[in-house]
Amino acid sequence: MANDLFKMPETAVSTDEFIKGLWRENPVFVQVLGMCPVLAVTNSGINAIAMGLATTFVLVMSNILVSSLRKVIPKQVRIATYILIIATFVTVVEYLIQAISLDLHKALGAFISLIVVNCVILGRAEAFASKNTLANSFLDGLGMGLGFTFALLCLGVVREILGSGTIFGIGLFPDGFQSWVVMILPGGGFFTMGAWLLFFNWLKERNKKREAALSESGTGVK
Amino acid sequence: MNQIDLKQLTAPPNSWHMLRTLAGVGIFCSLLIVATYQATLPVITTKKLEKLQEAVFNVLPGAASKANFRLTPDGRFEPFEGTPKGETLVYAGYDRQGKLVGIALEAYGQGFQDVLHIIYGYSPEKQAVVGIQVLESKETPGLGDKIEKDPAFLANFEALDVSLSGDGQIQNAITAVKKGEKQQPYEIECITGATISSKAITAILQKSTGEFIPMLMKNLATFEK
Amino acid sequence: MGNESLSFIFLNAALINNFVLAYFLGICPFLGVSGKLETATRMGGAVTFVMLISSTCAYGIHQLLVAVDAPFLQLISYIVVIASTVQLVEMFIKKFSPSLFRALGIFLPLITTNCAILGLALFQTNKGYNFAQSLVYALGAGIGFTLALVLMAGLREELELAEVPNLVKGTALTLMLAGILSLTFMGFAGLGG
């Protein structure tokens, strides 16, 4: 799986750049990157979506800019330039969120600013956008961002349902439901993330076994 | 691709080129930030003001307009406009006839998990705290955060006595008591399971009222319209 | 705000609101280098050191930004100044104290853009701490980080000997452990009240 990160860049626009971030190279579940916001802001579905979209915005914009400047930026100062670009878009997104909803800004708190040090973004700028065409970089950013949002949502929904008995603020259970407060506390974040990773490990293992069984039967025919 | 990399790595770095790139990106970035800041500032300021106003009206039932006052170093108050920069502000609320309903004050203090930030309303007429709202807290969800919404707890602050005695100090300090044991108008009934958070609110109010209310009463004429 | 006592700030940063276990800052190094006790201790030392430096920087920048009334430059100047200061300090240590460099050196570049470092700078600004308070806050946060890392490393070293199903090995198990540690640290809440 990790080898995909270093594969040779392609010049043609391909939808695969978009799809890989969603599932096969999902930044959270497969690459285990950018864990801090994943755990910190996923105590409700709304927060998770907002954080995911903010990250996607920064990811797409910085990928676009880095890709279009990739022939101009000298190698020696590239990281500094990337950080500058990312910090700019994070500042922009922070003011936008504040303008949209102060409550949301309060709920996400410092984690909006901390998008700047999310390894996913710098990672994509360095590993992908600096070597690929504008269109592909855009798709890559969008795919990775949505993959990230998807992962946040997986955690946020589980934690909100169990921890507050609601989904996106709408009550799910009758009054008697005793919510598992622990799920919206920090500990619950670790537990839920661990459980999801476990689930994905199990999926991977199962797929591997199936493929092994398939190839075995394949060679048998040959 | 690899050949280009090698060429660039082996060539001596061109400082002028590097500087030019950094400066160019820097200028572009600063333009973008400033543009966003300028575009969103009016919206954000309005929203913040609305939010504060809502909180003030919430803790001062019956208020329909508000005015900001600043605490001067010599312990007096003066009208204040514009954005605060570290000053202590109090907010006077007026009803539709322009009569002073009360004064809202912000207060901070240590809660169970982190710092609590509250705003409370004081009515000079009733000589009592008439409302309280938690502006910021990180209390435990489901337990400590009941201080924000538990109706029985909030009822404590509908008329919490903070009347002054003859020497201009608060007569009876606000104290916390167990649930169901409230007998005096200056007592706060704690929430079961959130004793520390309830006591934290008590301590914050006790400190803030002790400090400010004598000062407010002395300068009451300043706030009348 | 900004009137809290130094001892409380220290306790708050180190235990009650532990950066790793309550604020989820610096999870990457927490998961990455908590395999061995010795590495964890050294990483903790390096993070504490960088936190002190960046806290000082952030305090200075904040004063400057307030003076010129440009709050929108906060994030960008924090990250740029902190990153370059850490680089400078790294070169300085390399030249003047090779033994210290061997102990902390390899970790310094790794943690420049760690979220715990930037998070600390942002939190101390939000809380309006003065210079002494900021330094104590940084020290507390660094020690809390080290504590979490060392506890985790100790647990993981023991687990090496345990029989664990293949499926659970690795990050999933570490996260479960972290969850339990996090719950344990919740017991410290109310300490300051």
Side-chain angles (χ1 to χ4, degrees):
Chain A
M1 199 60 73
N3 285 339
D4 286 358
L5 276 175
F6 305 107
K7 68 177 176 198
M8 285 306 287
E10 295 153 22
T11 38
V13 176
S14 81
T15 44
D16 185 51
E17 306 299 359
F18 175 64
I19 294 165
K20 68 168 196 257
L22 289 181
W23 189 253
R24 202 180 67 237
E25 288 181 26
N26 188 293
V28 178
F29 290 135
V30 179
Q31 302 180 33
V32 200
L33 287 176
M35 296 294 281
C36 306
V38 172
L39 294 168
V41 299
T42 50
N43 48 15
S44 80
I46 300 281
N47 289 357
I49 287 196
M51 186 68 191
L53 292 184
T55 312
T56 310
F57 173 80
V58 177
L59 199 50
V60 169
M61 296 310 276
S62 66
N63 257 10
I64 288 178
L65 202 60
V66 166
S67 171
S68 46
L69 292 176
R70 71 184 187 279
K71 298 210 174 89
V72 196
I73 300 174
K75 285 269 157 201
Q76 294 81 2
V77 292
R78 67 181 195 286
I79 300 291
T81 323
Y82 300 160
I83 291 184
L84 208 59
I85 292 173
I86 295 169
T88 307
F89 286 115
V90 172
T91 314
V92 167
V93 102
E94 177 161 17
Y95 281 113
L96 287 180
I97 290 186
Q98 227 173 336
I100 295 168
S101 162
L102 281 179
D103 287 326
L104 194 59
H105 184 259
K106 210 168 100 184
L108 298 179
F111 283 93
I112 306 173
S113 304
L114 288 173
I115 297 179
V116 109
V117 281
N118 188 329
C119 1
V120 177
I121 299 175
L122 192 60
R124 290 330 283 173
E126 165 75 4
F128 196 91
S130 62
K131 299 172 191 150
N132 285 280
T133 57
L134 189 69
N136 273 342
S137 300
F138 169 74
L139 286 177
D140 175 75
L142 196 64
M144 285 290 166
L146 292 180
F148 188 74
T149 314
F150 167 71
L152 282 173
L153 201 58
C154 282
L155 262 92
V157 167
V158 169
R159 288 179 69 185
E160 193 183 334
I161 292 179
L162 294 178
S164 330
T166 58
I167 184 161
F168 302 120
I170 306 160
L172 273 187
F173 300 104
D175 283 342
F177 177 72
Q178 188 67 42
S179 55
W180 307 3
V181 175
V182 66
M183 292 313 275
I184 40 179
L185 295 175
F190 285 115
F191 288 138
T192 320
M193 187 64 208
W196 275 110
L197 280 181
L198 215 60
F199 175 68
F200 280 93
N201 278 352
W202 175 76
L203 267 187
K204 233 192 289 179
E205 202 88 330
R206 204 188 56 168
N207 281 352
K208 226 185 259 169
K209 270 188 198 144
R210 269 196 193 163
E211 267 167 35
L214 264 179
S215 65
E216 219 165 68
S217 64
T219 46
V221 169
K222 203 178 175 185
Chain B
M1 197 68 198
N2 285 333
Q3 277 172 343
I4 301 170
D5 284 358
L6 275 178
K7 223 190 261 170
Q8 278 196 355
L9 282 175
T10 43
N14 182 342
S15 323
W16 166 237
H17 186 52
M18 290 200 289
L19 265 182
R20 203 181 48 190
T21 318
L22 272 183
V25 173
I27 289 172
F28 174 76
C29 290
S30 30
L31 280 179
L32 198 62
I33 290 181
V34 172
T36 320
Y37 181 68
Q38 292 293 352
T40 51
L41 190 62
V43 187
I44 295 172
T45 326
T46 333
K47 283 206 170 177
K48 278 191 178 157
L49 280 179
E50 269 172 19
K51 202 157 176 148
L52 180 68
Q53 183 153 331
E54 203 181 294
V56 169
F57 291 173
N58 185 21
V59 296
L60 290 173
S65 68
K66 84 167 180 42
N68 300 356
F69 287 86
R70 184 175 70 135
L71 177 66
T72 58
D74 54 351
R76 298 150 68 82
F77 293 90
E78 61 182 25
F80 180 80
E81 294 289 329
T83 38
K85 280 201 178 73
E87 287 105 335
T88 308
L89 290 186
V90 299
Y91 315 98
Y94 305 93
D95 65 9
R96 288 192 197 289
Q97 283 78 42
K99 195 170 142 284
L100 182 69
V101 178
I103 297 148
L105 299 103
E106 284 177 80
Y108 301 92
Q110 177 55 37
F112 183 58
Q113 188 86 39
D114 208 340
V115 174
L116 281 172
H117 179 190
I118 64 167
I119 187 168
Y120 66 93
Y122 168 71
S123 158
E125 195 188 341
K126 292 182 192 154
Q127 297 237 351
V129 170
V130 288
I132 174 175
Q133 187 181 341
V134 178
L135 294 177
E136 214 174 330
S137 88
K138 286 217 177 64
E139 302 306 288
T140 323
L143 296 171
D145 72 345
K146 280 191 195 154
I147 53 167
E148 290 178 38
K149 42 200 175 207
D150 188 60
F153 182 67
L154 291 179
N156 280 315
F157 307 99
E158 274 163 17
L160 184 69
D161 177 59
V162 284
S163 53
L164 300 182
S165 62
D167 60 352
Q169 293 303 315
I170 293 205
Q171 203 163 14
N172 301 300
I174 301 172
T175 40
V177 294
K178 266 193 213 156
K179 195 168 177 67
E181 289 182 6
K182 180 172 167 142
Q183 278 159 356
Q184 304 295 333
Y186 51 84
E187 285 174 341
I188 297 178
E189 256 182 33
C190 289
I191 306 173
T192 323
T195 321
I196 296 185
S197 301
S198 321
K199 281 193 174 155
I201 295 272
T202 313
I204 296 170
L205 275 181
Q206 197 184 34
K207 184 158 170 283
S208 175
T209 50
E211 192 177 333
F212 278 98
I213 291 190
M215 255 194 293
L216 288 177
M217 287 309 276
K218 247 183 257 168
N219 296 294
L220 206 55
T222 324
F223 298 106
E224 306 277 4
K225 245 186 196 170
Chain C
M1 260 198 270
N3 50 2
E4 299 142 58
S5 71
L6 294 182
S7 59
F8 168 67
I9 292 177
F10 181 82
L11 275 182
N12 189 26
L15 296 177
I16 306 174
N17 288 309
N18 185 288
F19 264 47
V20 180
L21 299 170
Y23 282 161
F24 300 107
L25 295 170
I27 297 288
C28 303
F30 179 65
L31 297 180
V33 285
S34 61
K36 285 257 167 354
L37 199 56
E38 202 211 330
T39 349
T41 325
R42 281 158 68 180
M43 179 71 177
V47 167
T48 313
F49 180 69
V50 175
M51 274 183 169
L52 284 172
I53 296 175
S54 55
S55 163
T56 318
C57 290
Y59 183 77
I61 301 167
H62 181 64
Q63 295 303 318
L64 190 73
L65 289 183
V66 168
V68 299
D69 197 19
F72 45 86
L73 289 180
Q74 179 176 316
L75 184 63
I76 209 163
S77 44
Y78 274 12
I79 184 116
V80 170
V81 173
I82 289 173
S84 29
T85 317
V86 174
Q87 294 259 299
L88 274 181
V89 171
E90 190 197 342
M91 289 179 211
F92 189 78
I93 296 181
K94 201 174 184 177
K95 187 135 175 52
F96 291 101
S97 172
S99 58
L100 187 64
F101 183 75
R102 267 197 301 277
L104 307 179
I106 44 164
F107 296 113
L108 286 180
L110 276 179
I111 48 188
T112 314
T113 54
N114 175 332
C115 34
I117 309 286
L118 187 66
L120 173 90
L122 293 168
F123 284 142
Q124 77 175 38
T125 316
N126 274 353
K127 292 180 181 232
Y129 285 161
N130 64 27
F131 188 64
Q133 285 173 320
S134 304
L135 276 188
V136 171
Y137 190 56
L139 190 68
I143 287 176
F145 184 86
T146 316
L147 188 67
L149 215 61
V150 166
L151 282 175
M152 195 67 201
L155 285 173
R156 280 177 70 178
E157 277 193 351
E158 294 293 315
L159 269 178
E160 297 257 301
L161 305 171
E163 286 273 333
V164 181
N166 261 339
L167 202 61
V168 191
K169 258 184 194 159
T171 322
L173 184 64
T174 316
L175 281 168
M176 291 290 179
L177 275 182
I180 297 171
L181 261 187
S182 165
L183 290 185
T184 320
F185 266 65
M186 271 181 61
F188 289 119
L191 211 59

